[in-house]
Amino acid sequence: MKPLLNIENLSINYMTNKKDFNIVKDVNIKIDERMKYGIVGESGSGKSLTSLAIMNLLPEVLKIQEGSIELNTDSTKDLANISKKEMRKVRGREISMIFQEPMTALDPLYTIEYQLLEVLKIHKTYSKKEMYKIGVDMLKKVGIARPDQVMKDYPHQLSGGMRQRVMIAMALICQPKLLIADEPTTALDVTIQAQILDLMNELSDLHNTAILMITHDLGVILETCERVAVMYAGQIVEESTVEKIFEEPAHPYTKGLLSSIRSLGNKSEELYSIPGNVPTPDQYQELGCRFATRCPYAMDQCFNQEPLMYQVQDDHLSKCWLHVEEGRANERSSERTRS
Amino acid sequence: MYAYIIRRLLMLVPVLFGVSVVIFFTLRIIPGDVAQTILGTDATKESLAQLRKDFGLDRPVIEQYITWMSGVLMGDFGESMTTGREVLPDILNRFKITFELTILSAILSWIIAIPLGVIAGIKRNTKTDFTVRIVSLLGVSIPNFALATVLILILALTFSYSPPVGYVGFFEDPIRNLQIMLLPSIVLGTAMAGAVMRMTRSSILEILRQDFIRTIRAKGAKERLVIFNHALRNAMIPILTIIGMQIGVLLGGTVIIEQIFSLPGLGQLVLTSINQRDFTVIQGAILFIAFVFVLVNLLVDILYSYLDPRITYK
Ligand SMILES: Nc1ncnc2c1ncn2[C@@H]1O[C@H](COP(=O)(O)OP(=O)(O)OP(=O)(O)O)[C@@H](O)[C@H]1O
Ligand SMILES: [Mg+2]
């Protein structure tokens, strides 16, 4: 079975006449049908760029430098290499996207009805009446109590939570195979956050939609996802199932992230945070590991040579020199036991 | 909404009152004398005094103002001191020409400016964009009279054209009317187009950066839909502000263009009446221009609320 979405060696560069530097590097992600996949990382780690690359919505100055984004629906397409026309058929119909800011993600001049049904008008050929009915049903599904009223409303008349519900309705109305949610709850109140996450989970099960959840919040990952990729400075540093990442984190960065949220729950301990700041793309090291400058375990070779993705255990990858060292140590110890 | 319109119309009263006071008293302070204009330089002191008395100019200024104002309130703007004709019908006749000139120039400017501004915005920093920006800069900075003169010269030299003399109403002879109005409209339209183009470009750029544009693209919309249904419509709000200001100003008459193309518009009326110190005509015309200006502003505000559901007036 081919995965629904297969991103291989994706690299994104900032490219103008004057400058050219790498931002996202060597991203590999496989999402199966109906899977809930998470990307987690601090601000600036390249999560949004990865998702925009899938949608072919990168800003002009950013270009896919390398790699493929294979989408397997009725046919197989490489979204990194697709005509604009073909891509328009994918957007909103096979893959749709919800953004972080519900307050600004809707056009202020049009009613919810117009904006909700616009997706249907673009991709389907229903009659006006049918479309309206589908729209109202969809609003009901996302938990909007008075759908007929909300259809008539303008975005400014709705609260942030309501708008995000409308965004979800809009994203799912054509029953896409994949829903990309880029920080869908970050801008919302804590109580609303949980409701929106539940709603997304529920609807994705109902419609057999896979989810790519992008967040800086490990709690959101734990609540929604099966697999997770941890991103740092434009690269995936660790990838596995959610259980393995939470229970046996391998990469020093993941460990740091986890101890910072665990210390949150534990009042007696001092609040842990990873020392230093996330580097900006122009500060990325040409050689070596991008995390080395902040890593408590950094060794000489971490500054000179980029580590590979290392299989630390079954179905668990981590990009760190330590594993090689451990491996050697293990090899040595196993040699010793053998002799 | 209606309550709002009525309130805005009521606000006209203090505005127009202010304008009337300022213009009335200013006219009586500046030097110059209508009697002198009419009777010429050889007139005797007695005859000048007699004429001024006939016009009521010898009475206290406050009294003159009250007399004039009570007439105006009844819709009677008085008679011209130089021609003896009624002021209001004269103003309205002149205004028709100014109005037509304004509308034609405005439409011409939109036809050029809005599409070019949109294209420049979409193709930011390309050759097309730079060309459009230079053209619009020229449009804004070339003085009207210079453009008018150059146009007339070019047409005169190539087609032995000469500016038509006299005005023919649109409903009398539409073709002749347009022949007369086209050139001045092009000149005025060019100047307006420059500003509208710049505003269109910058607001399209601004809107295209907004999150909701990304949402629409993510729906799979064609670029045409993104630009026309969403970007341009949102960009229209600031564009409307510029357009409203331009129209408001132009409806007050364009002295230079009316002179060059010998169009008997409002601008000409004001100019000649000032030269002759024809107080009743000046007062009436200025009051009328202020009225139209405020009305245009009201119209623009109403249009805002049609364009943008967030703007509501109560
Ligand atoms: N239009 C752009 N031009 C240049 N650099 C950009 C642009 N957009 C993003 N970047 C850079 O790319 C890097 C990754 O950005 P991205 O938006 O993907 O981060 P993110 O992980 O989504 O962070 P956040 O949590 O803040 O949304 C950042 O360092 C950012 O500075
Ligand atoms: Mg982001």
Side-chain angles (χ1 to χ4, degrees):
Chain A
M1 213 13 222
K2 279 184 178 174
L4 173 65
L5 189 78
N6 188 5
I7 304 180
E8 278 184 337
N9 302 324
L10 177 69
S11 294
I12 300 170
N13 276 28
Y14 176 92
M15 225 187 285
T16 60
N17 298 336
K18 292 179 202 116
K19 275 193 207 165
D20 179 356
F21 54 83
N22 173 262
I23 300 183
V24 169
K25 192 172 173 190
D26 276 337
V27 164
N28 287 284
I29 287 173
K30 276 190 184 58
I31 303 175
D32 291 328
E33 277 186 36
R34 289 188 290 274
M35 182 185 260
K36 295 182 186 120
Y37 195 102
I39 299 181
V40 68
E42 284 167 288
S43 186
S45 55
K47 308 180 297 287
S48 296
L49 294 190
T50 306
S51 63
L52 290 174
I54 301 172
M55 291 296 274
N56 259 317
L57 284 174
L58 284 173
E60 268 168 66
V61 288
L62 303 178
K63 304 237 159 61
I64 295 182
Q65 178 73 6
E66 215 192 307
S68 62
I69 304 170
E70 195 180 86
L71 177 71
N72 294 299
T73 47
D74 308 330
S75 59
T76 297
K77 297 171 269 276
D78 179 7
L79 306 185
N81 221 324
I82 189 173
S83 71
K84 282 188 176 159
K85 197 174 161 214
E86 285 296 309
M87 192 61 216
R88 282 201 298 266
K89 286 190 205 155
V90 172
R91 292 182 191 151
R93 195 172 69 104
E94 297 188 330
I95 308 180
S96 49
M97 190 157 178
I98 314 174
F99 302 98
Q100 174 169 348
E101 261 306 327
M103 301 316 264
T104 53
L106 290 163
D107 187 333
L109 304 190
Y110 288 93
T111 58
I112 300 303
E113 174 178 350
Y114 182 94
Q115 302 191 54
L116 182 61
L117 303 188
E118 194 174 34
V119 206
L120 280 178
K121 267 183 236 160
I122 292 169
H123 297 293
K124 310 266 161 145
T125 49
Y126 295 118
S127 73
K128 268 194 173 160
K129 235 176 147 185
E130 285 169 315
M131 274 196 222
Y132 187 85
K133 195 179 168 311
I134 297 173
V136 167
D137 285 347
M138 204 60 225
L139 287 185
K140 273 186 206 152
K141 273 191 198 160
V142 296
I144 287 175
R146 291 179 303 136
D148 285 297
Q149 177 55 44
V150 170
M151 288 289 257
K152 288 195 206 81
D153 282 341
Y154 287 94
H156 72 276
Q157 294 168 302
L158 304 179
S159 67
M162 286 282 268
R163 289 188 211 188
Q164 203 59 304
R165 283 174 198 272
V166 169
M167 288 298 292
I168 295 173
M170 225 159 71
L172 295 179
I173 200 165
C174 286
Q175 313 227 346
K177 292 282 177 204
L178 175 65
L179 172 66
I180 302 176
D182 187 355
E183 311 257 9
T185 57
T186 311
L188 303 175
D189 290 346
V190 187
T191 45
I192 314 276
Q193 279 185 16
Q195 291 173 13
I196 294 287
L197 285 182
D198 287 346
L199 180 70
M200 287 178 51
N201 276 334
E202 195 184 300
L203 288 177
S204 100
D205 292 340
L206 189 69
H207 291 292
N208 295 325
T209 305
I211 292 185
L212 175 58
M213 174 68 73
I214 287 168
T215 178
H216 62 264
D217 185 347
L218 279 165
V220 171
I221 297 286
L222 193 59
E223 214 160 300
T224 42
C225 300
E226 297 151 46
R227 288 191 76 83
V228 57
V230 181
M231 267 189 104
Y232 182 82
Q235 294 177 311
I236 292 182
V237 294
E238 185 164 0
E239 205 268 354
S240 186
T241 62
V242 170
E243 296 85 61
K244 283 183 183 155
I245 295 281
F246 274 76
E247 274 150 33
E248 302 160 78
H251 196 280
Y253 177 64
T254 316
K255 288 181 183 162
L257 272 187
L258 281 166
S259 16
S260 57
I261 58 162
R262 281 182 186 145
S263 69
L264 263 180
N266 193 340
K267 287 196 188 96
S268 60
E269 262 179 71
E270 207 156 294
L271 199 62
Y272 177 82
S273 69
I274 303 169
N277 291 314
V278 188
T280 52
D282 51 311
Q283 300 166 335
Y284 293 165
Q285 309 198 58
E286 195 73 28
L287 312 161
C289 170
R290 287 180 180 179
F291 185 56
T293 46
R294 297 171 76 191
C295 181
Y297 310 101
M299 305 169 291
D300 280 348
Q301 64 178 332
C302 299
F303 294 94
N304 304 324
Q305 214 178 346
E306 192 179 324
L308 297 174
M309 263 296 185
Y310 195 80
Q311 177 136 14
V312 283
Q313 53 174 307
D314 196 30
D315 198 21
H316 188 168
L317 297 172
S318 173
K319 188 184 179 69
C320 181
W321 282 121
L322 285 177
H323 311 313
V324 180
E325 287 297 312
E326 282 160 15
R328 283 203 198 109
N330 288 343
E331 270 167 37
R332 254 178 260 129
S333 61
S334 60
E335 269 164 30
R336 224 172 289 138
T337 42
R338 228 179 291 148
S339 60
Chain B
M1 187 71 184
Y2 292 111
Y4 171 78
I5 295 175
I6 288 171
R7 247 186 315 124
R8 280 287 297 264
L9 288 176
L10 283 178
M11 268 160 57
L12 264 172
V13 175
V15 170
L16 293 182
F17 175 71
V19 170
S20 73
V21 170
V22 169
I23 186 67
F24 196 92
F25 290 91
T26 315
L27 279 179
R28 277 151 185 82
I29 293 166
I30 55 171
D33 181 6
V34 64
Q36 193 86 63
T37 323
I38 295 169
L39 296 178
T41 34
D42 336 318
T44 59
K45 278 209 166 118
E46 292 74 40
S47 54
L48 285 174
Q50 181 58 42
L51 191 55
R52 278 192 214 113
K53 202 174 168 203
D54 292 346
F55 287 141
L57 292 173
D58 56 338
R59 285 181 291 150
V61 181
I62 302 275
E63 201 184 311
Q64 292 179 42
Y65 178 78
I66 293 172
T67 314
W68 176 64
M69 217 353 122
S70 30
V72 168
L73 288 178
M74 310 292 284
D76 175 11
F77 280 60
E79 281 147 21
S80 161
M81 290 173 172
T82 50
T83 64
R85 288 208 302 266
E86 268 197 69
V87 170
L88 192 58
D90 252 11
I91 291 176
L92 290 177
N93 272 330
R94 301 295 192 114
F95 180 66
K96 267 189 238 160
I97 298 169
T98 299
F99 184 77
E100 187 189 348
L101 185 61
T102 304
I103 297 302
L104 276 180
S105 335
I107 292 175
L108 276 177
S109 77
W110 302 339
I111 293 175
I112 312 167
I114 295 179
L116 284 183
V118 170
I119 292 171
I122 300 171
K123 300 190 184 271
R124 182 180 77 246
N125 292 339
T126 61
K127 276 188 194 136
T128 325
D129 180 27
F130 287 127
T131 317
V132 170
R133 280 159 74 184
I134 288 170
V135 169
S136 72
L137 199 63
L138 288 176
V140 180
S141 42
I142 295 179
N144 277 337
F145 68 87
L147 183 60
T149 322
V150 169
L151 264 182
I152 291 178
L153 268 178
I154 292 175
L155 289 174
L157 292 176
T158 48
F159 302 106
S160 41
Y161 163 93
S162 68
V165 181
Y167 172 80
V168 182
F170 182 79
F171 295 103
E172 290 161 46
D173 183 350
I175 299 199
R176 178 96 186 105
N177 171 274
L178 287 180
Q179 277 175 351
I180 296 169
M181 299 301 268
L182 192 62
L183 212 49
S185 302
I186 289 176
V187 173
L188 281 178
T190 312
M192 295 165 88
V196 174
M197 223 184 275
R198 280 151 63 109
M199 182 51 94
T200 308
R201 177 183 179 275
S202 65
S203 42
I204 282 278
L205 270 180
E206 166 72 26
I207 300 293
L208 284 178
R209 267 196 287 270
Q210 306 271 318
D211 281 356
F212 66 80
I213 292 293
R214 196 179 48 187
T215 310
I216 297 151
R217 292 206 172 111
K219 289 177 181 177
K222 289 199 177 122
E223 213 42 33
R224 199 159 29 105
L225 189 85
V226 176
I227 300 296
F228 290 104
N229 281 25
H230 296 278
L232 186 56
R233 188 154 174 214
N234 275 276
M236 272 324 284
I237 295 161
I239 298 172
L240 186 66
T241 311
I242 288 266
I243 288 178
M245 268 160 46
Q246 289 180 334
I247 290 184
V249 169
L250 280 193
L251 284 180
T254 47
V255 177
I256 293 171
I257 294 300
E258 286 174 15
Q259 284 297 351
I260 294 180
F261 292 95
S262 43
L263 290 172
L266 211 49
Q268 256 195 14
L269 181 71
V270 173
L271 186 67
T272 42
S273 59
I274 288 180
N275 281 337
Q276 298 175 331
R277 299 291 186 273
D278 191 338
F279 289 174
T280 35
V281 176
I282 308 172
Q283 286 156 200
I286 300 287
L287 201 58
F288 179 80
I289 290 170
F291 173 74
V292 169
F293 193 83
V294 175
L295 224 54
V296 169
N297 273 316
L298 174 60
L299 203 68
V300 168
D301 284 346
I302 293 172
L303 277 176
Y304 279 146
S305 77
Y306 273 103
L307 265 179
D308 189 340
R310 286 166 299 182
I311 302 173
T312 47
Y313 305 115
K314 273 176 244 129

